[in-house]
Structure formats: C-alpha cells, structure tokens
Amino acid sequence: KSLFPERGTSPVYDGGYFLQILARQYLYTRDSEFLRAARPAIDHTLSWLKMKRDASRTGNMVGSEGYGLIRGRTTGDLGHAAQAYCNDAPCWRGMMEMEQALAVYANAVGDTDTADRTRTLRADADSYRSDILASLRASVNRESDPPFVPIIVGNTTPYANMHLNRLVSYANFRMYNHVL
C-alpha cells in the first residue's frame, strides 16, 4: 500500500521490480489464484505508472529528453526527485513482463476482458520503451571517450570521478545496473 506515496522513500523503480516479480511468479507457477489475488496491487501499480507517464507527456514537450519519463526518487535516502533512466528502465520491463503474464493468464482462464487490457498494456509498454530510447539518444554524450550515458535525464557531463558525490556513488554501484 505504501509503494508509491508521493512523499515516501520508495524509489520509482520499485514499481517496475514489483511487477516483474509478480509476473515471473505467475509464469513459473501458472497459479491463477495467485495472480487473481495480486490483481488489485498490479492494477494499482500499472495505474500509478500510467498516471505518472501521462503527467510527463503533458508537462514535457514532444521530443524533449524528459517526454514520457517518470519523475521520482532514485533511492530511498538521497531525498531528491529526478527523471532518471534507472527508474524508467525497470518500470518499462515490469510493464512488458506483466503484459506477458496477463496474456498467458487470460488465455488459461478464458478472461476476454484481461486479454483486451493486455493489448493496451503492450501498446503502453512499447510507447514507454520508445520514449526511453529517444531520450537516451538525445542524452548520451558521444564526445566523451568512452561515450557517457547519464543516469539523470539531461545530465550529459561525465562525472569527474566515481566518488564525486552521493548521487555519483549510487549511480556507479547501483543505478547503472537498473538501466542495463
């Protein structure tokens, strides 16, 4: 229930990993009761992601680096909110994996409503991926050797060293893993 409080400590990527875990659990076990019981949490998470993406698409111009990407915390203890690839990549993957799980579930139990919703979810996930990749194309600093891939959207300056500040330390030991 506290996964996405606006002033809480959960980083945005927790929602993506939450969806991934639930999807994988269902795909491994094919336990329809498990997925049926998890649907309120799944629907809440997907609704939250859609709300945040819609806000980003309204608040950012088409073609801007932040268009369609979610603003939120990147860690529980840094206390800042940003648009960050380490948040969006796991959320996109969570949407994609949940779409796959829901499609299998819908087919297994003959749920046509869920089958229809998975098509929408797949389109949303594909759109999200496109927004992430477009932003990355605009943000990667190719003048740097090697090219610099930022964690924070629009931050195209390579870090001076790996312990420059807490954000850079977190980026190097944790956040890049989320993007990859």
Side-chain angles (χ1 to χ4, degrees):
K1 291 181 181 177
S2 65
L3 187 59
F4 301 113
E6 292 301 321
R7 293 181 172 217
T9 60
S10 292
V12 172
Y13 59 73
D14 280 352
Y17 287 125
F18 181 64
L19 291 173
Q20 290 175 46
I21 290 166
L22 294 177
R24 291 173 191 177
Q25 173 67 17
Y26 174 71
L27 290 171
Y28 292 149
T29 66
R30 304 299 166 111
D31 182 347
S32 296
E33 288 304 314
F34 166 80
L35 194 63
R36 192 176 351 270
R39 283 301 291 275
I42 292 166
D43 292 344
H44 173 74
T45 304
L46 291 171
S47 175
W48 189 87
L49 290 172
K50 181 172 177 22
M51 175 192 67
K52 289 297 195 178
R53 284 203 9 92
D54 287 349
S56 176
R57 292 173 138 206
T58 301
N60 291 288
M61 292 187 53
V62 174
S64 70
E65 292 170 334
Y67 182 78
L69 305 187
I70 296 174
R71 182 175 177 78
R73 295 177 73 128
T74 55
T75 66
D77 62 342
L78 283 182
H80 73 281
Q83 288 180 308
Y85 301 113
C86 62
N87 282 333
D88 290 292
C91 289
W92 160 76
R93 184 168 181 125
M95 290 172 66
M96 182 188 69
E97 289 189 28
M98 186 51 67
E99 181 274 331
Q100 294 166 349
L102 289 172
V104 170
Y105 168 82
N107 188 48
V109 301
D111 184 342
T112 56
D113 180 52
T114 297
D116 291 342
R117 290 178 62 205
T118 60
R119 285 186 278 284
T120 302
L121 180 53
R122 178 51 150 206
D124 289 346
D126 290 346
S127 171
Y128 198 2
R129 182 178 188 270
S130 293
D131 291 344
I132 293 167
L133 292 176
S135 180
L136 277 168
R137 279 191 293 278
S139 290
V140 171
N141 179 339
R142 288 172 177 70
E143 301 299 317
S144 173
D145 185 24
F148 174 70
V149 179
I151 283 297
I152 305 299
V153 174
N155 179 14
T156 59
T157 304
Y159 308 131
N161 56 58
M162 292 181 67
H163 56 276
L164 179 67
N165 57 38
R166 286 178 44 195
L167 174 63
V168 173
S169 292
Y170 272 108
N172 286 309
F173 87 84
R174 179 177 196 187
M175 292 178 190
Y176 280 109
N177 296 332
H178 297 301
V179 176
L180 295 174

Short mmCIF file of all heavy atoms in Angstrom, two decimals, residues 45-81:
data_model
loop_
_atom_site.label_atom_id
_atom_site.label_comp_id
_atom_site.label_asym_id
_atom_site.label_seq_id
_atom_site.Cartn_x
_atom_site.Cartn_y
_atom_site.Cartn_z
N THR A 45 -0.45 -0.50 -9.37
CA THR A 45 0.89 -0.16 -9.86
C THR A 45 0.83 0.32 -11.31
O THR A 45 1.42 1.34 -11.66
CB THR A 45 1.83 -1.37 -9.73
OG1 THR A 45 1.83 -1.81 -8.38
CG2 THR A 45 3.24 -1.02 -10.17
N LEU A 46 0.11 -0.41 -12.15
CA LEU A 46 0.00 -0.01 -13.55
C LEU A 46 -0.70 1.34 -13.69
O LEU A 46 -0.31 2.17 -14.51
CB LEU A 46 -0.73 -1.08 -14.35
CG LEU A 46 0.03 -2.39 -14.54
CD1 LEU A 46 -0.87 -3.45 -15.16
CD2 LEU A 46 1.28 -2.17 -15.39
N SER A 47 -1.71 1.56 -12.87
CA SER A 47 -2.42 2.84 -12.90
C SER A 47 -1.51 3.98 -12.48
O SER A 47 -1.52 5.07 -13.07
CB SER A 47 -3.65 2.76 -11.98
OG SER A 47 -4.29 3.99 -11.89
N TRP A 48 -0.70 3.75 -11.46
CA TRP A 48 0.25 4.77 -10.98
C TRP A 48 1.25 5.10 -12.06
O TRP A 48 1.54 6.28 -12.33
CB TRP A 48 0.95 4.28 -9.72
CG TRP A 48 1.77 5.33 -9.04
CD1 TRP A 48 1.36 6.24 -8.12
CD2 TRP A 48 3.17 5.58 -9.25
NE1 TRP A 48 2.42 7.03 -7.75
CE2 TRP A 48 3.53 6.65 -8.42
CE3 TRP A 48 4.13 4.98 -10.06
CZ2 TRP A 48 4.83 7.14 -8.37
CZ3 TRP A 48 5.43 5.48 -10.01
CH2 TRP A 48 5.77 6.55 -9.17
N LEU A 49 1.80 4.08 -12.72
CA LEU A 49 2.76 4.32 -13.80
C LEU A 49 2.13 5.10 -14.94
O LEU A 49 2.73 6.03 -15.48
CB LEU A 49 3.34 3.00 -14.31
CG LEU A 49 4.26 2.25 -13.35
CD1 LEU A 49 4.61 0.88 -13.90
CD2 LEU A 49 5.51 3.05 -13.05
N LYS A 50 0.91 4.73 -15.30
CA LYS A 50 0.22 5.44 -16.38
C LYS A 50 -0.03 6.90 -16.00
O LYS A 50 0.19 7.79 -16.81
CB LYS A 50 -1.10 4.75 -16.71
CG LYS A 50 -1.85 5.44 -17.84
CD LYS A 50 -3.06 4.63 -18.27
CE LYS A 50 -3.88 5.29 -19.34
NZ LYS A 50 -3.30 6.29 -20.17
N MET A 51 -0.45 7.13 -14.76
CA MET A 51 -0.69 8.49 -14.30
C MET A 51 0.59 9.33 -14.38
O MET A 51 0.57 10.47 -14.86
CB MET A 51 -1.21 8.48 -12.86
CG MET A 51 -1.39 9.86 -12.25
SD MET A 51 -1.68 9.84 -10.47
CE MET A 51 -0.12 9.23 -9.85
N LYS A 52 1.70 8.77 -13.94
CA LYS A 52 2.98 9.49 -13.96
C LYS A 52 3.46 9.74 -15.39
O LYS A 52 3.98 10.81 -15.70
CB LYS A 52 4.04 8.74 -13.16
CG LYS A 52 3.80 8.76 -11.67
CD LYS A 52 3.87 10.17 -11.16
CE LYS A 52 3.98 10.23 -9.67
NZ LYS A 52 4.10 11.61 -9.19
N ARG A 53 3.28 8.76 -16.26
CA ARG A 53 3.68 8.95 -17.66
C ARG A 53 2.79 9.98 -18.35
O ARG A 53 3.27 10.80 -19.11
CB ARG A 53 3.65 7.62 -18.41
CG ARG A 53 4.84 6.77 -18.05
CD ARG A 53 5.26 5.71 -19.00
NE ARG A 53 4.71 5.61 -20.32
CZ ARG A 53 5.22 6.18 -21.41
NH1 ARG A 53 6.29 6.95 -21.33
NH2 ARG A 53 4.67 5.98 -22.59
N ASP A 54 1.50 9.92 -18.07
CA ASP A 54 0.58 10.91 -18.65
C ASP A 54 0.97 12.32 -18.21
O ASP A 54 0.97 13.25 -19.02
CB ASP A 54 -0.87 10.61 -18.26
CG ASP A 54 -1.45 9.40 -18.99
OD1 ASP A 54 -0.81 8.90 -19.95
OD2 ASP A 54 -2.53 8.95 -18.57
N ALA A 55 1.31 12.47 -16.94
CA ALA A 55 1.73 13.78 -16.43
C ALA A 55 3.00 14.24 -17.13
O ALA A 55 3.15 15.42 -17.47
CB ALA A 55 1.95 13.73 -14.92
N SER A 56 3.92 13.33 -17.39
CA SER A 56 5.16 13.68 -18.06
C SER A 56 4.91 14.06 -19.51
O SER A 56 5.55 14.98 -20.04
CB SER A 56 6.13 12.50 -17.99
OG SER A 56 7.30 12.79 -18.71
N ARG A 57 4.00 13.38 -20.14
CA ARG A 57 3.69 13.69 -21.53
C ARG A 57 2.95 15.02 -21.65
O ARG A 57 3.08 15.70 -22.66
CB ARG A 57 2.88 12.56 -22.14
CG ARG A 57 3.72 11.31 -22.27
CD ARG A 57 2.93 10.13 -22.70
NE ARG A 57 3.75 9.42 -23.67
CZ ARG A 57 3.30 8.67 -24.62
NH1 ARG A 57 2.02 8.49 -24.77
NH2 ARG A 57 4.13 8.07 -25.43
N THR A 58 2.22 15.38 -20.63
CA THR A 58 1.53 16.67 -20.62
C THR A 58 2.51 17.79 -20.26
O THR A 58 2.46 18.87 -20.83
CB THR A 58 0.37 16.66 -19.60
OG1 THR A 58 -0.54 15.63 -19.98
CG2 THR A 58 -0.36 17.98 -19.57
N GLY A 59 3.42 17.52 -19.33
CA GLY A 59 4.32 18.54 -18.81
C GLY A 59 5.60 18.73 -19.58
O GLY A 59 6.36 19.66 -19.32
N ASN A 60 5.89 17.85 -20.53
CA ASN A 60 7.11 17.96 -21.33
C ASN A 60 6.74 17.99 -22.81
O ASN A 60 5.80 17.32 -23.23
CB ASN A 60 8.01 16.74 -21.09
CG ASN A 60 8.61 16.73 -19.70
OD1 ASN A 60 9.49 17.53 -19.40
ND2 ASN A 60 8.13 15.84 -18.85
N MET A 61 7.48 18.75 -23.56
CA MET A 61 7.20 18.84 -24.99
C MET A 61 7.61 17.55 -25.69
O MET A 61 8.60 16.91 -25.32
CB MET A 61 7.97 20.02 -25.60
CG MET A 61 7.47 21.36 -25.11
SD MET A 61 8.23 22.75 -25.95
CE MET A 61 7.96 22.37 -27.66
N VAL A 62 6.85 17.18 -26.71
CA VAL A 62 7.21 16.03 -27.53
C VAL A 62 8.62 16.26 -28.08
O VAL A 62 8.93 17.34 -28.55
CB VAL A 62 6.19 15.86 -28.69
CG1 VAL A 62 6.65 14.75 -29.63
CG2 VAL A 62 4.81 15.57 -28.16
N GLY A 63 9.45 15.26 -27.97
CA GLY A 63 10.82 15.38 -28.45
C GLY A 63 11.81 15.85 -27.39
O GLY A 63 13.01 15.78 -27.61
N SER A 64 11.31 16.33 -26.25
CA SER A 64 12.23 16.73 -25.18
C SER A 64 12.79 15.48 -24.50
O SER A 64 12.20 14.40 -24.57
CB SER A 64 11.53 17.63 -24.16
OG SER A 64 10.59 16.88 -23.41
N GLU A 65 13.91 15.63 -23.83
CA GLU A 65 14.57 14.49 -23.19
C GLU A 65 13.70 13.84 -22.12
O GLU A 65 13.83 12.66 -21.85
CB GLU A 65 15.90 14.92 -22.58
CG GLU A 65 16.93 15.29 -23.62
CD GLU A 65 18.15 15.93 -23.01
OE1 GLU A 65 18.06 16.52 -21.92
OE2 GLU A 65 19.21 15.84 -23.64
N GLY A 66 12.83 14.61 -21.49
CA GLY A 66 12.02 14.07 -20.40
C GLY A 66 10.65 13.60 -20.80
O GLY A 66 9.90 13.09 -19.97
N TYR A 67 10.31 13.71 -22.06
CA TYR A 67 8.96 13.37 -22.52
C TYR A 67 8.64 11.90 -22.24
O TYR A 67 9.34 11.00 -22.69
CB TYR A 67 8.82 13.65 -24.01
CG TYR A 67 7.43 13.35 -24.54
CD1 TYR A 67 6.39 14.25 -24.33
CD2 TYR A 67 7.17 12.19 -25.22
CE1 TYR A 67 5.12 13.98 -24.81
CE2 TYR A 67 5.90 11.91 -25.71
CZ TYR A 67 4.88 12.81 -25.48
OH TYR A 67 3.63 12.54 -25.95
N GLY A 68 7.59 11.68 -21.46
CA GLY A 68 7.12 10.34 -21.16
C GLY A 68 7.85 9.62 -20.06
O GLY A 68 7.49 8.51 -19.70
N LEU A 69 8.89 10.24 -19.49
CA LEU A 69 9.65 9.60 -18.42
C LEU A 69 9.14 10.07 -17.07
O LEU A 69 8.65 11.18 -16.92
CB LEU A 69 11.14 9.89 -18.58
CG LEU A 69 11.74 9.51 -19.94
CD1 LEU A 69 13.25 9.69 -19.91
CD2 LEU A 69 11.37 8.10 -20.35
N ILE A 70 9.27 9.21 -16.08
CA ILE A 70 8.68 9.45 -14.77
C ILE A 70 9.65 10.18 -13.86
O ILE A 70 10.82 9.80 -13.76
CB ILE A 70 8.24 8.12 -14.13
CG1 ILE A 70 7.14 7.49 -14.97
CG2 ILE A 70 7.78 8.33 -12.70
CD1 ILE A 70 6.73 6.10 -14.52
N ARG A 71 9.16 11.20 -13.21
CA ARG A 71 9.95 11.93 -12.20
C ARG A 71 9.70 11.28 -10.84
O ARG A 71 8.56 11.03 -10.47
CB ARG A 71 9.53 13.39 -12.17
CG ARG A 71 10.32 14.23 -11.20
CD ARG A 71 9.93 15.70 -11.33
NE ARG A 71 10.64 16.49 -10.35
CZ ARG A 71 11.91 16.87 -10.44
NH1 ARG A 71 12.62 16.53 -11.49
NH2 ARG A 71 12.48 17.58 -9.50
N GLY A 72 10.78 11.00 -10.13
CA GLY A 72 10.63 10.42 -8.80
C GLY A 72 11.97 10.16 -8.16
O GLY A 72 13.02 10.48 -8.72
N ARG A 73 11.93 9.56 -7.00
CA ARG A 73 13.15 9.26 -6.26
C ARG A 73 13.93 8.15 -6.94
O ARG A 73 13.36 7.23 -7.50
CB ARG A 73 12.79 8.88 -4.84
CG ARG A 73 12.17 10.03 -4.08
CD ARG A 73 11.76 9.59 -2.72
NE ARG A 73 12.97 9.42 -1.92
CZ ARG A 73 13.16 9.97 -0.75
NH1 ARG A 73 12.23 10.71 -0.22
NH2 ARG A 73 14.26 9.79 -0.09
N THR A 74 15.25 8.25 -6.85
CA THR A 74 16.11 7.21 -7.41
C THR A 74 16.63 6.26 -6.33
O THR A 74 17.07 5.17 -6.65
CB THR A 74 17.31 7.83 -8.13
OG1 THR A 74 18.00 8.69 -7.22
CG2 THR A 74 16.87 8.61 -9.35
N THR A 75 16.62 6.70 -5.11
CA THR A 75 16.98 5.86 -3.96
C THR A 75 16.16 6.34 -2.78
O THR A 75 15.62 7.45 -2.79
CB THR A 75 18.47 5.97 -3.58
OG1 THR A 75 18.73 7.29 -3.11
CG2 THR A 75 19.39 5.63 -4.73
N GLY A 76 16.10 5.51 -1.77
CA GLY A 76 15.33 5.89 -0.59
C GLY A 76 15.99 6.93 0.27
O GLY A 76 15.32 7.62 1.03
N ASP A 77 17.31 7.10 0.16
CA ASP A 77 17.97 8.01 1.10
C ASP A 77 18.62 9.24 0.48
O ASP A 77 19.18 10.05 1.20
CB ASP A 77 19.00 7.24 1.93
CG ASP A 77 20.10 6.63 1.11
OD1 ASP A 77 19.92 6.50 -0.11
OD2 ASP A 77 21.13 6.28 1.69
N LEU A 78 18.55 9.42 -0.83
CA LEU A 78 19.11 10.63 -1.41
C LEU A 78 18.15 11.81 -1.27
O LEU A 78 18.58 12.95 -1.26
CB LEU A 78 19.48 10.44 -2.88
CG LEU A 78 20.76 9.67 -3.15
CD1 LEU A 78 21.02 9.59 -4.64
CD2 LEU A 78 21.95 10.30 -2.45
N GLY A 79 16.88 11.53 -1.22
CA GLY A 79 15.91 12.59 -0.97
C GLY A 79 15.64 13.53 -2.12
O GLY A 79 15.06 14.57 -1.94
N HIS A 80 16.06 13.20 -3.32
CA HIS A 80 15.80 14.06 -4.46
C HIS A 80 14.85 13.35 -5.43
O HIS A 80 14.74 12.13 -5.42
CB HIS A 80 17.10 14.41 -5.19
CG HIS A 80 17.65 13.27 -5.97
ND1 HIS A 80 18.34 12.24 -5.38
CD2 HIS A 80 17.56 12.96 -7.28
CE1 HIS A 80 18.68 11.35 -6.30
NE2 HIS A 80 18.22 11.77 -7.47
N ALA A 81 14.20 14.11 -6.24
CA ALA A 81 13.36 13.55 -7.30
C ALA A 81 13.93 14.02 -8.63
O ALA A 81 14.35 15.17 -8.76
CB ALA A 81 11.92 14.01 -7.15
#
